[in-house]
Amino acid sequence: DAKTTQPTSMDCAEGRAANLPCNHSTISGNEYVYWYRQIHSQGPQYIIHGLKNNETNEMASLIITEDRKSSTLILPHATLRDTAVYYCIVRVKGGFQKLVFGTGTRLLVSP
Amino acid sequence: DAGVIQSPRHEVTEMGQEVTLRCKPISGHDYLFWYRQTMMRGLELLIYFNNNVPIDDSGMPEDRFSAKMPNASFSTLKIQPSEPRDSAVYFCASSHNSGGAGNEQFFGPGTRLTVL
């Protein structure tokens, strides 16, 4: 699976958009980009995934660059409850379904 | 749906004792995963099952660790004998193989294990 690089931490004001970047320059054509988050003392939670098109759901939007070497997770109106560690993971379609969690980005949303 | 259920939520034991962690996956899910999370090593996959069969146990740290899935609704992770370095939060997750990439994993609340 391709390696990802994320900033260690980010801050965001409540109500503003949080844009979390992820670099995955070695991503293969059959690898998807997944985002999970982990709120303190809870298990990780799936957010969104995509292959090459931008995706949106009720939680967030995922913007993948045309060359697929990087992506951005967007939380359009961050709330205090969005404070968490966000993990960007790339993995093959189907396959053995392994998720390899890196260190992620610690997002702090402040009032 | 109650989600993935894990028990106990907290476990404190003494070194050398046997520890058994339990997991009930979401009904209908055919994949089950055991993860361990520590400050030093982050979140690590220990083992996963498909249709109750262990597929990959390469993450199991040593022979003291064993996992079973006797049926589709129950799995255990056992540590015998336990050591202080086993102290961690252990998560169970399950997923359903939809045949495509949409196989998100649903995590349980975790079991916080402390070995004294």
Side-chain angles (χ1 to χ4, degrees):
Chain A
D1 292 338
K3 180 180 173 61
T4 63
T5 303
Q6 299 178 254
T8 302
S9 63
M10 294 183 64
D11 294 326
C12 180
E14 187 178 21
R16 303 297 295 269
N19 298 287
L20 292 94
C22 179
N23 286 320
H24 31 79
S25 58
T26 60
I27 192 170
S28 301
N30 62 345
E31 287 183 314
Y32 283 69
V33 180
Y34 282 78
W35 283 85
Y36 280 73
R37 74 178 181 183
Q38 187 173 21
I39 296 170
H40 183 61
S41 297
Q42 298 183 21
Q45 176 190 25
Y46 165 84
I47 301 173
I48 198 169
H49 76 276
L51 180 63
K52 56 182 178 180
N53 297 319
N54 298 338
E55 303 287 345
T56 296
N57 63 19
E58 65 278 4
M59 291 183 67
S61 294
L62 175 60
I63 307 299
I64 302 174
T65 58
E66 191 170 345
D67 63 8
R68 303 209 322 121
K69 293 184 177 182
S70 65
S71 60
T72 301
L73 179 75
I74 300 172
L75 307 178
H77 304 287
T79 70
L80 299 180
R81 289 177 295 179
D82 291 322
T83 292
V85 177
Y86 288 77
Y87 298 97
C88 170
I89 302 164
V90 294
R91 59 175 300 279
V92 298
K93 177 178 180 179
F96 294 109
Q97 302 205 58
K98 275 188 176 183
L99 288 180
V100 179
F101 289 83
T103 54
T105 296
R106 185 173 298 277
L107 175 67
L108 175 63
V109 181
S110 302
Chain B
D1 197 330
V4 175
I5 299 173
Q6 292 187 246
S7 64
R9 293 294 310 277
H10 302 274
E11 176 80 30
V12 180
T13 190
E14 293 188 347
M15 183 175 60
Q17 296 298 307
E18 177 180 296
V19 175
T20 299
L21 311 181
R22 297 172 176 79
C23 175
K24 176 179 171 56
I26 293 173
S27 178
H29 282 190
D30 49 2
Y31 281 82
L32 183 139
F33 307 81
W34 281 101
Y35 291 86
R36 177 174 69 174
Q37 186 170 37
T38 62
M39 289 292 293
M40 291 295 294
R41 300 176 66 88
L43 195 61
E44 307 172 277
L45 176 66
L46 300 177
I47 185 173
Y48 75 94
F49 297 81
N50 177 221
N51 292 322
N52 314 335
V53 176
I55 302 300
D56 186 343
D57 65 354
S58 59
M60 296 286 262
E62 48 196 275
D63 292 344
R64 297 184 297 106
F65 286 70
S66 62
K68 294 182 180 180
M69 192 165 185
N71 57 63
S73 59
F74 183 66
S75 176
T76 60
L77 178 67
K78 185 176 294 186
I79 308 172
Q80 167 63 19
S82 58
E83 295 182 3
R85 60 189 169 130
D86 301 330
S87 297
V89 180
Y90 291 81
F91 290 103
C92 177
S94 69
S95 72
H96 175 62
N97 185 4
S98 64
N103 40 22
E104 64 177 280
Q105 294 185 16
F106 294 82
F107 284 76
T111 294
R112 181 173 296 276
L113 173 65
T114 302
V115 183
L116 303 175

